[in-house]
Structure formats: C-alpha cells, structure tokens
C-alpha cells in the first residue's frame, strides 16, 4: 500500500474570525490545538512512514501533534512549498472587507479565482505549479507505506484538482475542507485515486460550516 493523507491544519483565531490567512503565520487556537491532538489519536493506529508539513506555525503544530500521537518515530519534515497561496493585500481581511475595499472582488474570486488579480499576491497559476512540483517531488520519493502531508485548504484543493483532472475554479466552488479534515489518496493503483475527502470523524463536536479556507 502507498497512501497519502492530506490534512488541513487545525483552527486558528483568524479561521474563527473568518479572516483570510494566506501566508500570514498564525498559531493554532485552543480549539485548533485540541483538533490537532485528536488528529494524533486518529493516526495512532497507523504505521506512518513519513510526515511532511508547510513551514507555517499552524501547519507545523498540527504535524507535530500527529507525530506525537502516532508514536512510530516519524518526524515532521518542513517543505516551504507546501505553504498556502500568498494572498497579498487580502491577508487579514474578512470576505466582506475584501468586497468593500476591492469592488466585490471576493465574490468574483469565489466564482472564478483564476480571473482575479489580487494586489501583491501569488498568481493562481504559479501557486498551482508550485504545489504540483512539491507533491510530485514528495510522492516520487515515497516507497510503500502511509504518508501524511499537513498543509492548507488551497493546497489540498490544488492536489485534488490534479488527481481528478478537474478544473480548479470549478472544484473550489464545490469542496468543503474543514480545519483538521483528512483527505486520502491511494498512490499505488494504476493511476492515483481519491479514497475520501474531508473526513472529520475524529472531531467532536462536528466542525462548523467553514468560512474562508485560506
């Protein structure tokens, strides 16, 4: 078996406030730390071969909790290219604030991210190419086993778009990716295929309906 688990980081205060994070380096909230511990408990029964994480605090802390709960000696490896899309002038704002300051640009983003030019931000095409490169590099190095990649909503959506051959803009409008949700991809089939998306059975109570992913 060669399986990849894509884990979105636990909640931050900005997630709770529905603020766009992007590359802003926010720590886990109290709830986020609890979610991370529950992820550790979920993966305790798995013989995890490797754990990879973005360099951002919310992702690293989640990965460390998974490593602590798993107990099989996998140490999180930091890969900066697993970081969320840099969203420039939007970071720290709520969607309503973005719309007020940038002419309803967030509503346009939700319809068609690739059509929006965010001031000082990473272009969607460059972001997707970055994610494709790092995931290709990591999966190319993986042998048989179970691997965990702790990252961000935009990153997970980009991976799923590639695996499913889906249009990224179309997929973003139809996915729900909660904090501490787990998505699984089987890698050793003739072609990679998605086993499940956004499993949150380890969280109690169930997560709230999400606001921004980023």
């Amino acid at each position: 078996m060669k399986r990849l688990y894509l884990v979105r980081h636990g909640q931050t205060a900005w997630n709770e406030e529905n603020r766009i994070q992007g590359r802003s380096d926010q720590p886990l909230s109290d709830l986020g730390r609890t979610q991370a511990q529950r992820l550790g408990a979920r993966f305790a029964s798995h013989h995890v071969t490797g754990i990879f994480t973005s360099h951002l605090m919310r992702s690293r802390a989640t990965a460390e909790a998974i490593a602590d709960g798993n107990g099989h000696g996998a140490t999180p490896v930091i890969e900066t290219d697993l970081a969320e899309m840099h969203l420039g002038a939007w970071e720290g704002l709520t969607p309503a604030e973005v719309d007020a300051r940038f002419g309803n640009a967030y509503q346009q983003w939700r319809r068609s991210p690739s059509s929006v030019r965010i001031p000082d931000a990473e272009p969607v095409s460059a972001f997707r190419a970055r994610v494709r490169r790092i995931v290709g590099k990591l999966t190319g190095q993986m042998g048989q086993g179970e691997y965990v990649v702790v990252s961000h909503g935009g990153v997970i959506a980009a991976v799923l778009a590639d695996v499913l051959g889906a249009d990224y803009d179309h997929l973003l409008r139809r996915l729900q990716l909660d904090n501490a949700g787990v998505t699984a991809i089987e890698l050793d089939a003739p072609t990679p295929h998605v086993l499940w998306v956004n499993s949150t059975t380890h969280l109690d109570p169930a997560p709230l309906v999400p606001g921004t992913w980023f």
Side-chain angles (χ1 to χ4, degrees):
M1 177 178 66
K2 185 177 178 181
R3 184 171 294 178
L4 180 64
Y5 298 99
L6 301 172
V7 178
R8 188 184 175 203
H9 60 81
Q11 187 189 76
T12 69
W14 277 18
N15 287 140
E16 187 176 4
E17 295 166 7
N18 200 25
R19 295 192 179 277
I20 296 166
Q21 291 182 118
R23 288 291 186 93
S24 297
D25 204 3
Q26 300 297 311
L28 295 178
S29 64
D30 289 343
L31 176 57
R33 286 189 288 273
T34 298
Q35 291 172 335
Q37 290 169 357
R38 289 177 177 164
L39 279 165
R42 173 171 182 154
F43 281 102
S45 61
H46 294 258
H47 200 291
V48 174
T49 306
I51 302 173
F52 303 91
T53 176
S54 86
H55 66 288
L56 298 174
M57 284 189 290
R58 58 193 186 269
S59 183
R60 289 194 342 255
T62 304
E64 288 162 2
I66 291 172
D68 290 345
N70 181 251
H72 288 290
T75 300
V77 175
I78 294 173
E79 294 283 357
T80 57
D81 280 345
L82 289 171
E84 185 58 280
M85 186 187 304
H86 178 42
L87 291 167
W90 288 13
E91 294 188 5
L93 303 179
T94 66
E97 290 169 340
V98 169
D99 282 341
R101 298 186 193 185
F102 298 95
N104 292 322
Y106 190 81
Q107 298 310 311
Q108 182 183 349
W109 167 272
R110 292 301 293 170
R111 292 191 298 271
S112 178
S114 300
S115 71
V116 180
R117 299 180 71 89
I118 303 171
D120 303 318
E122 182 180 18
V124 171
S125 58
F127 165 69
R128 291 200 61 198
R130 167 168 64 83
V131 172
R132 191 175 295 120
R133 283 194 304 270
I134 186 58
V135 172
K137 170 191 163 185
L138 294 178
T139 56
Q141 295 172 349
M142 292 174 183
Q144 293 295 299
E146 296 180 274
Y147 298 85
V148 177
V149 169
V150 184
S151 191
H152 308 267
V155 174
I156 295 170
V159 176
L160 286 172
D162 283 346
V163 172
L164 295 171
D167 177 80
Y168 184 63
D169 287 6
H170 182 81
L171 193 66
L172 278 178
R173 299 196 301 273
R174 288 162 173 80
L175 277 179
Q176 178 167 315
L177 297 171
D178 294 299
N179 289 116
V182 180
T183 294
I185 299 174
E186 196 75 37
L187 295 175
D188 59 357
T191 57
H193 61 274
V194 178
L195 298 176
W196 68 77
V197 175
N198 195 43
S199 172
T200 56
T201 56
H202 50 285
L203 301 180
D204 182 26
L208 299 174
V209 174
T212 62
W213 293 352
F214 309 99

